[in-house]
Amino acid sequence: MTTPKPPAACLIGWPAAHSRSPLIHHYWLRTLGIAGGYVIEAVPPDDLRDFVLRLSLRGFVGANVTIPHKEAVLDLSAPDARARAVGAANTLWFEDGELRATNTDVEGFLDNLDASAPGWDKAEEALVLGAGGASRAVVFGLLERGFKRINLANRTLARAEALAAQFGPNVHPLAWDGINDVLPRARLLVNTTSLGMHGQGALEVDVARLPPEAVVADLVYVPLVTPLLAAARARGLRTADGLGMLLHQAVRGFELWFGRRPEVTAELRALVEADLTKT
Ligand code: ATR
């Protein structure tokens, strides 16, 4: 009699991704008592098609996908509405034998705000900074939650305009120097740019101009408390940080692969925080 192999998922990237995902998924496997695995697979672009089409034959129940493959996997799978709208997928799983793809950044962003600032989505107007891939997930999530007006500021205005053209009339492109004018009406401010990250430029936004009930979210998680979040907290505003989004976006993949919905616990957060800050 042969013993069935425990289910395993992998992270597909190239070159070999440096990622906290193994730490997160191993923590959940361990604490939930599930026999399973999560490994990193370095897959060059030329091998992606073969790797993904033979994912199940290779013994995997699903995968995360990272740079540079997040767009290419859309053509190799059946993407859901979120992956299609964002134009990129980060999670693959099998449903009735079919390889499906989704983008869990959308719910990572939303679930993190739900956990960090309950009631945040009663607001109708948001200001989103940046118009790259991360911004698309954020904008799609805000539209799902019924935001009526999303001001979208980007250094390169044309990218904000392109995103607005795709997502419809509730999204209003804005030049970077127009930020100050809309801050007083922003009940939610989200930074999706790399500004404020270690080694990158500073994000110059005057949080004093935000209304007192505003919530501030930053997708940057190195440092854990960005200057934007520190300034918002000093003003007494509620905040949602980038590490929270990273942890919450991992929940759905685990649930799809291993059949149990895991929790983002303080213990998990501390574990990943320690890994981020180790020298
Ligand atoms: P991601 O997938 O993480 O969103 P991206 O697609 O490279 O990454 O987008 C990066 C975002 O950060 C963009 O909005 C970028 O602005 P541009 O579209 O003008 O490039 C923004 N960004 C990066 N560096 C910036 C800087 N120094 N000032 C303002 N915005 C910056």
Side-chain angles (χ1 to χ4, degrees), residues 213-228:
E213 67 278 23
V215 173
V216 176
D218 201 335
L219 271 51
V220 172
Y221 58 87
V222 182
L224 288 166
V225 182
T226 61
L228 174 69

Side-chain angles (χ1 to χ4, degrees), residues 129-135 154-156 159 176 192-195 200-201:
L129 310 178
S135 172
N154 198 46
R155 173 180 61 179
T156 311
R159 284 185 92 189
W176 198 252
T192 77
T193 75
S194 47
L195 294 174
Q200 304 287 318

Side-chain angles (χ1 to χ4, degrees), residues 255-275:
E255 182 182 24
L256 289 165
W257 306 324
F258 301 114
R260 296 268 300 277
R261 189 166 177 85
E263 275 182 41
V264 174
T265 60
E267 188 184 37
L268 172 62
R269 217 191 126 89
L271 191 72
V272 180
E273 264 190 46
D275 189 66

Side-chain angles (χ1 to χ4, degrees), residues 162-188:
L163 209 148
Q166 182 197 342
F167 284 104
N170 290 9
V171 183
H172 298 263
L174 193 71
W176 198 252
D177 61 10
I179 290 175
N180 265 344
D181 295 338
V182 295
L183 276 172
R185 299 199 317 258
R187 294 276 301 275
L188 174 71

Side-chain angles (χ1 to χ4, degrees), residues 21-51:
S21 295
L23 188 63
I24 297 169
H25 291 294
H26 287 152
Y27 168 83
W28 282 330
L29 288 167
R30 192 171 65 245
T31 54
L32 290 170
I34 296 173
Y38 186 97
V39 295
I40 290 182
E41 291 279 354
V43 179
D46 283 350
D47 296 348
L48 181 69
R49 186 183 171 79
D50 175 76
F51 190 93

Side-chain angles (χ1 to χ4, degrees), residues 44-121:
D46 283 350
D47 296 348
L48 181 69
R49 186 183 171 79
D50 175 76
F51 190 93
V52 169
L53 296 182
R54 293 160 61 89
L55 196 63
S56 177
L57 284 174
R58 288 173 195 274
F60 291 115
V61 292
N64 280 135
V65 183
T66 187
I67 294 166
H69 300 316
K70 287 204 232 184
E71 290 83 18
V73 291
L74 294 180
D75 290 336
L76 305 172
S77 59
D80 71 359
R82 286 176 170 178
R84 283 200 307 274
V86 177
N90 66 357
T91 302
L92 302 173
W93 80 102
F94 291 96
E95 194 175 284
D96 301 327
E98 184 181 40
L99 185 65
R100 304 291 319 275
T102 188
N103 191 308
T104 63
D105 284 341
V106 179
E107 68 220 74
F109 171 69
L110 297 174
D111 292 353
N112 184 39
L113 272 162
D114 286 341
S116 310
W120 67 276
D121 58 350

